[in-house]
Amino acid sequence: MATYAAHETAVQLVFMALLFSWMYLKKEKWTFIVFILLFVCGVYIVQDLRGKDIFDTSQSYTGELIFHTGTVIDGDSLRGFATLQDGTIVYARFRLTSNEQKLHMERLVSNSKFLVTGVFEEATPPSHRYSFNMTHYLRHNGAASLLKVESISGVMENKTWINRLLKRRDLFKTHIREHFPETLAAEAEALLIGERENMDPEDRRIHQTLGISHLFAISGLHVGIASGLLYVLLIRLHIRKETALVILLLVLPLYAVIAGGAPSVWRALSMVVIVTSGKLMNIKVPLANIMLTSIVVFVLWDPYAMYQIGFQLSYGATFGIIYSLNMLRAIKSPVKAGFVITFISQVTLYPLLLFHFYELSLSAFVVNSLFVPLFTVFILPANFLLLFLTAVFPPVANFVFYFYEPLREHIDQLMIAIASLPYQLWVPGKPGIGAFVLLMSSVYLFYCAVEREFRWWHLLILFVPAILFTSLPYMDPRLKVTFLDVGQGDSAVIEMPYRQAVYLVDSGGVLRFDVETFKEKSDHMKSVGKLWHLT
């Protein structure tokens, strides 16, 4: 299992090294580059060493516990990261015993302190190198141990300013569910407050196939539109520009908390705050320096964010766009510029996406050029407007919904039609260290080549390593049989020589009968034994 951790660390270091090499190529000040590099690596090493501290799991615990944002109640299980009375972070789990208790905890978990009794547990080691590693998951989130909560003996209100904001988030969620049509409520929750738990699994699959899942996770697009709408509104109310900018600086952090506080939200927020502060002080700061300053602030605030895929993807995409501005300025057509920005984002991130998700949406390069403008100009502003109207002028909101809902349904049908087209997902599997270095280096060399002038043959720099990585299994003359322990039932994968065919023998999950309704999990397995012919 140590090999997997070493691979993960090496991938992050390779990615950072290539980013800083590109900064040097773009003639950033070397002192600034060295400072950022040493700072980030220093914090990374300190946190990595701290994460290896031994925690005594033989003791029990009685005291206060506060669950963090993102705690999940699924079936009869309550689980999530939590802070103990002495500030220690743990991953807490509690078994619910009745539907009444489940409903009660759903109301209390986000804004309460609990007096609990429990025992610390050691994480179960993964059964194989590709299975979920709880030890790494805890360390990458700054948690010391698992805590099995055996009983809750008291509840107190958690009176902090963040909790007051989270209460507002819950009020927004309730408002959306009560005033938006059922077909639009889940999307509105995702776009406005970053809540995606109610999105239909089939819709998520379609978004993944099309490569547009990022549109439903609050990021720079949402922060930019929200701040732009607020700024225009303040100016229309005849508020001075300087005062409007100060109001933005005060309101945006509050919005980030209400929106869920994902790394992409704080990245976008921090960059907007730095730009806005520069305007107030009449200081023009290069975009690259703004991004790097944002990284420093982020890592200081939450060093463990470096492990999060959202942090890596958000800053990676921003990095690629910022350092391609010279190329983008030469493009006069807005349509072409939108396509190139999408291409840059996808190309910059595709080795990371393969490393974390093992697949890539090929249609994303074209589909995003359609849906990013559609969400930017129409869908996202419409949701902000409808949220305002449902709160202030409900009859007007109902009138708008009458036209907007069927129009949104047509857009969904378009998504379904495009997602049904074959051969949209490239699934080559997870690259090892060597393959990851090869793929990232090809991206780096591609940008170096097109910096002066783009030629179509430059695409070979990207395509040849990708094709080589994909074709490796088809050159393997061996017959492979892999037995998988997936936690709920054994299965086997049979790979024929030269990838002539791949068979998955699925023995099915655990069958449970007469289970109480409240105990049913959202992802419970219903399958029995099956034989799948994958290729």
Side-chain angles (χ1 to χ4, degrees), residues 426-430 466-480 495-502 535:
W426 175 37
V427 192
K430 181 175 183 173
I467 293 172
L468 178 63
F469 172 58
T470 305
S471 62
L472 288 177
Y474 296 91
M475 297 185 287
D476 191 345
R478 297 172 296 176
L479 169 68
K480 294 183 181 180
E495 300 174 78
M496 304 299 289
Y498 302 104
R499 259 307 165 81
Q500 294 174 337
V502 178
T535 62

Side-chain angles (χ1 to χ4, degrees), residues 15-16 86 130 153 176 199 233 264 333 340 343 376 439 456:
F15 187 66
M16 293 294 292
D86 61 357
Y130 293 111
S153 56
I176 291 171
M199 292 195 72
L233 177 62
S264 56
S333 168
V340 172
F343 181 82
T376 304
L439 297 177
W456 285 106

Side-chain angles (χ1 to χ4, degrees), residues 18 45 82 182 198 204 217 258 346 367 399-400 414 435 440 520:
L18 288 173
I45 292 170
E182 186 177 353
N198 285 329
R204 294 192 184 197
I258 292 175
Q346 295 292 322
V367 171
F399 177 76
V400 176
L414 175 62
M440 280 302 306
E520 293 183 358

Side-chain angles (χ1 to χ4, degrees), residues 278-325:
K279 285 185 177 181
L280 280 173
M281 296 181 288
N282 292 320
I283 299 174
K284 189 174 182 180
V285 184
L287 281 176
N289 290 3
I290 291 174
M291 182 193 68
L292 294 171
T293 303
S294 171
I295 290 177
V296 170
V297 173
F298 208 134
V299 171
L300 273 176
W301 178 39
D302 181 13
Y304 295 102
M306 294 180 63
Y307 290 105
Q308 299 178 22
I309 180 61
F311 177 90
Q312 299 168 20
L313 296 181
S314 181
Y315 278 105
T318 305
F319 183 95
I321 293 171
I322 287 177
Y323 282 98
S324 302
L325 287 178

Side-chain angles (χ1 to χ4, degrees), residues 35-103:
F35 168 75
I36 298 294
L37 179 61
L38 292 178
F39 175 83
V40 171
C41 289
V43 174
Y44 181 94
I45 292 170
V46 169
Q47 294 302 323
D48 195 54
L49 292 175
R50 285 179 58 189
K52 295 175 182 177
D53 291 342
I54 298 175
F55 186 85
D56 185 6
T57 57
S58 63
Q59 56 184 315
S60 59
Y61 176 77
T62 299
E64 292 181 359
L65 178 143
I66 302 174
F67 283 103
H68 294 181
T69 303
T71 296
V72 174
I73 297 179
D74 189 13
D76 62 345
S77 171
L78 185 157
R79 61 187 185 274
F81 290 100
T83 301
L84 304 183
Q85 198 164 341
D86 61 357
T88 301
I89 298 175
V90 297
Y91 188 83
R93 298 184 291 196
F94 179 62
R95 186 68 62 185
L96 303 167
T97 57
S98 67
N99 190 51
E100 292 73 20
Q101 186 185 36
K102 179 178 180 178
L103 295 174

Side-chain angles (χ1 to χ4, degrees), residues 202-213 359-365 367-368 415-416 418-426:
E202 179 62 18
D203 289 339
R204 294 192 184 197
R205 185 196 66 79
I206 291 172
H207 301 157
Q208 291 170 354
T209 301
L210 299 178
I212 59 173
S213 297
E359 66 181 17
L360 186 72
S361 171
L362 297 178
S363 60
F365 291 86
V367 171
N368 273 279
M415 287 183 180
I416 294 171
I418 298 176
S420 64
L421 298 175
Y423 308 113
Q424 294 195 61
L425 286 178
W426 175 37

